[in-house]
Amino acid sequence: MGSSFHHFILVILCSSCLLGAVAAASSPKTRHFRWEVANMFWSPDCLENVVMGINGQFPGPTIRAKAGDTIVVHLTNKLHTEGLVIHWHGIRQFDTPWADGTASISQCAINPEETFVYRFKVDKAGTYFYHGHYGMQRSAGLYGSLVVDVADGEKEPFHYDGEFNVLLSDWWHKNVHEQEVGLSSKPLRWIGEPQSILLNGRGQFNCSLAARLGNGSSSLCSLRADAQCAPQVLRVKPNKTYRLRIASTTSLSSLNLAIGNPSKNYWISVSQRGRKPPVPPPGLTILNYLPNSPSVPTSALPHSPAWDDITASKSFANKIVALLGLPTPPIRHDRRIFMLNTQNRIDGFIKWSINNISLVLPSTPYLGSIKYKLKGAFDNKSPPETFSSNYDIRIPPVNPNATQSSGIYKIEFNTTVDVILQNTNALAANVSEIHPWHLHGHDFWVLGYGEGKYSEEKHGKQLNLKNPPLRNTVVIFPYGWTVIRFVADNPGVWAFHCHIEPHLHMGMGVIFAEAVDRVKNIPDEAIACGQTGKMFVHNHHG
């Protein structure tokens, strides 16, 4: 990557390793934000479209706080025709599970013209982000960055002279409602690959810049510095160390990030991996060495692994270990759940399933219905904890049919849970996809990845209990397995799901309910819908 690559510290995105579990030292603050979410015209990739913006901005405003601070967001829904929630990705929400921002799980959707107040503590320094978690609103552009600095009096475990925030996303020209209808149609109408990869909300589709780099046509698009789609310029001084805070809120794409060889101006590029061509043109940002003037680099893009080079991805993932001195996992697990990821059919509709169950969410948020012991609000039958030992992960499912359920896994408080995520062949032969799995309300240790079907006898001794990375999102590779371990120390109801937006929409997720009886002071407005709403009305009038 060039001789000056050591000038940059690349901090892995927040949904990967968490660097520096730093507790608050002094004088935490309460930081207030007033946001209005609305649809607006924008040109993320030089083509005007409708995006979901916050206070007229896309991406939404960056929240900056210090560890130990309390964040208060007064969120008003100005969408007019649909509900809204926002999830604070990577924030554990201790004592505030209703602020997790998951519709039908932790809260009711916020109705048009209503205001909901999110109030929560950010207890750990790191790079985070937020995004819509209702329908496919993340694909519509509802996202932004959330940066938590170390508390006053504390220091980062490394020195740097400056930093840049880089938020990665993917963008479609087809609106999310059309995408959702296609995913729920028979036959399935797949959303297709994104038209653009965006860096901080900026990409280039079908323009002269993309064409010169071997992508797109030669038609012109405006790349003036004031254009909404112009590549951002990151200005650096020679021989200084910079931190890149990288977070990916992509709805479908796994990404490679590459930094080009040093010169006056050179490229940072982000390309798609793991999905078949045609792939979108790379997302681009210009790195400008002062005192030179910023300009479009004349050099070629830096080298990235090919889209199908899964070996490079696996090699990178296996090299990530925890910083010295960070907490290590408990030595033993109390419970183990095997989760078989399959593509299935239900009444002819294509769905994704876990242990042959495709997740559907109830109208009443789990947090309220479990807390108040409401009957019939969701399926009482718990999902399976394992799958058949003779299941062949290398071929399409012999029985492709699955069932839908809103059942939950009940987890005992303070127990140690292992989850073995097992990837398989999809419905089509010779197809197995990368799935990034995200756990709400917790961080977990990644104990290991492997090929084929997990076997305790064969793979158990390979697991890393010495220095596994602490994360909240992890991938399972095609035809592979991933083992994670977490401690159920956070009362609430938490989603665990594939972070690919259409896959979650098609049922690829599960629900963990954990010591809900210990949850106190749930705001009425968080859960006053469905059966819980009827209960509040009855009690109020009774």
Side-chain angles (χ1 to χ4, degrees):
M1 288 198 182
S3 59
S4 294
F5 183 71
H6 65 276
H7 293 329
F8 299 91
I9 294 174
L10 294 187
V11 179
I12 302 301
L13 57 158
C14 78
S15 53
S16 300
C17 302
L18 297 168
L19 298 183
V22 185
S26 62
S27 64
K29 293 183 172 64
T30 299
R31 302 177 186 269
H32 288 267
F33 303 87
R34 293 192 177 275
W35 286 1
E36 289 187 351
V37 175
N39 287 311
M40 61 187 194
F41 289 113
W42 204 263
S43 301
D45 62 357
C46 307
L47 191 73
E48 189 176 71
N49 217 312
V50 173
V51 305
M52 284 188 182
I54 300 176
N55 295 351
Q57 297 181 42
F58 169 77
T62 296
I63 288 180
R64 193 113 199 182
K66 292 185 177 180
D69 287 352
T70 296
I71 290 173
V72 182
V73 179
H74 301 258
L75 186 75
T76 301
N77 180 0
K78 292 288 185 181
L79 293 174
H80 301 306
T81 58
E82 58 186 298
L84 167 73
V85 294
I86 287 185
H87 168 57
W88 316 93
H89 188 110
I91 305 300
R92 294 179 293 178
Q93 302 292 352
F94 280 119
D95 298 323
T96 54
W98 54 85
D100 190 46
T102 48
S104 294
I105 302 170
S106 65
Q107 72 169 107
C108 307
I110 306 162
N111 289 325
E113 300 303 326
E114 285 186 351
T115 298
F116 182 81
V117 180
Y118 288 101
R119 179 185 292 267
F120 56 90
K121 183 180 280 192
V122 288
D123 65 325
K124 186 184 289 191
T127 305
Y128 305 91
F129 61 101
Y130 61 83
H131 61 81
H133 214 294
Y134 180 66
M136 289 173 59
Q137 290 177 345
R138 179 159 52 104
S139 298
L142 185 53
Y143 45 73
S145 296
L146 196 170
V147 176
V148 182
D149 293 304
V150 295
D152 291 332
E154 300 283 345
K155 286 187 177 179
E156 290 279 14
F158 38 76
H159 166 78
Y160 52 93
D161 301 297
E163 67 175 53
F164 298 104
N165 208 38
V166 181
L167 184 65
L168 312 176
S169 56
D170 40 14
W171 181 247
W172 282 259
H173 296 161
K174 185 185 293 183
N175 72 63
V176 293
H177 300 300
E178 189 176 346
Q179 292 184 39
E180 288 168 352
V181 172
L183 293 171
S184 304
S185 293
K186 185 168 58 173
L188 173 79
R189 296 191 189 184
W190 177 242
I191 64 171
E193 302 308 311
Q195 274 64 62
S196 303
I197 303 297
L198 309 182
L199 277 78
N200 290 338
R202 296 160 178 257
Q204 296 77 44
F205 170 77
N206 202 24
C207 70
S208 55
L209 173 61
R212 206 177 69 221
L213 297 169
N215 299 280
S217 73
S218 60
S219 64
L220 294 175
C221 61
S222 173
L223 290 178
R224 301 188 321 271
D226 61 343
Q228 291 172 342
C229 61
Q232 203 167 20
V233 177
L234 308 183
R235 293 172 172 83
V236 298
K237 293 179 180 178
N239 300 313
K240 299 289 185 181
T241 299
Y242 292 85
R243 175 177 183 170
L244 292 185
R245 292 184 176 271
I246 305 166
S248 175
T249 185
T250 53
S251 295
L252 176 65
S253 308
S254 296
L255 301 172
N256 298 306
L257 183 141
I259 299 179
N261 289 320
S263 64
K264 295 177 181 177
N265 293 281
Y266 61 100
W267 294 116
I268 296 177
S269 76
V270 174
S271 59
Q272 196 185 61
R273 67 174 185 183
R275 301 197 61 82
K276 291 181 179 179
V279 296
L284 299 170
T285 282
I286 297 170
L287 204 52
N288 164 242
Y289 266 85
L290 296 172
N292 300 295
S293 299
S295 61
V296 174
T298 55
S299 57
L301 292 185
H303 172 75
S304 280
W307 70 269
D308 57 352
D309 190 352
I310 300 298
T311 302
S313 300
K314 290 177 182 175
S315 172
F316 185 86
N318 279 313
K319 289 174 183 172
I320 298 173
V321 295
L323 278 178
L324 212 61
L326 286 182
T328 53
I331 297 299
R332 295 178 184 82
H333 62 268
D334 300 307
R335 185 173 176 185
R336 182 170 261 191
I337 303 173
F338 290 81
M339 294 188 179
L340 185 75
N341 291 237
T342 56
Q343 194 179 45
N344 298 88
R345 287 193 179 92
I346 298 177
D347 298 328
F349 295 92
I350 293 180
K351 301 291 182 183
W352 288 96
S353 303
I354 304 303
N355 296 345
N356 228 40
I357 303 291
S358 186
L359 178 66
V360 288
L361 296 175
S363 60
T364 305
Y366 290 105
L367 188 63
S369 59
I370 297 173
K371 174 67 176 178
Y372 293 107
K373 299 180 172 60
L374 301 182
K375 292 182 179 178
F378 59 90
D379 293 348
N380 282 327
K381 187 178 179 184
S382 295
E385 307 240 337
T386 189
F387 58 93
S388 171
S389 59
N390 61 11
Y391 190 97
D392 189 343
I393 68 161
R394 290 276 169 186
I395 62 171
V398 176
N399 173 16
N401 296 315
T403 55
Q404 290 184 312
S405 172
S406 57
I408 61 171
Y409 292 97
K410 292 180 180 175
I411 310 289
E412 291 294 319
F413 187 56
N414 268 338
T415 56
T416 299
V417 180
D418 281 7
V419 177
I420 294 91
L421 291 161
Q422 178 66 62
N423 212 343
T424 63
N425 200 99
L427 284 170
N430 303 313
V431 174
S432 185
E433 298 184 17
I434 291 176
H435 298 290
W437 275 78
H438 171 53
L439 177 60
H440 292 231
H442 306 77
D443 300 326
F444 53 71
W445 291 274
V446 182
L447 302 189
Y449 307 88
E451 309 280 335
K453 192 149 81 171
Y454 180 83
S455 159
E456 179 63 22
E457 184 181 5
K458 193 190 302 183
H459 303 122
K461 292 178 182 176
Q462 299 174 13
L463 300 181
N464 177 13
L465 295 175
K466 179 184 172 186
N467 58 355
L470 191 64
R471 306 172 69 161
N472 57 58
T473 303
V474 70
V475 300
I476 43 172
F477 291 105
Y479 300 110
W481 52 264
T482 297
V483 178
I484 67 168
R485 177 169 292 178
F486 71 95
V487 177
D489 57 359
N490 193 5
V493 185
W494 309 107
F496 182 45
H497 62 90
C498 178
H499 214 257
I500 291 176
E501 193 84 316
H503 288 185
L504 173 59
H505 189 76
M506 297 165 71
M508 198 173 194
V510 298
I511 304 296
F512 293 146
E514 187 177 311
V516 178
D517 57 306
R518 292 173 176 255
V519 177
K520 309 295 183 195
N521 305 318
I522 304 174
D524 290 353
E525 60 270 24
I527 55 173
C529 58
Q531 286 192 37
T532 327
K534 293 174 186 174
M535 179 195 74
F536 286 144
V537 169
H538 176 77
N539 289 346
H540 179 72
H541 292 291

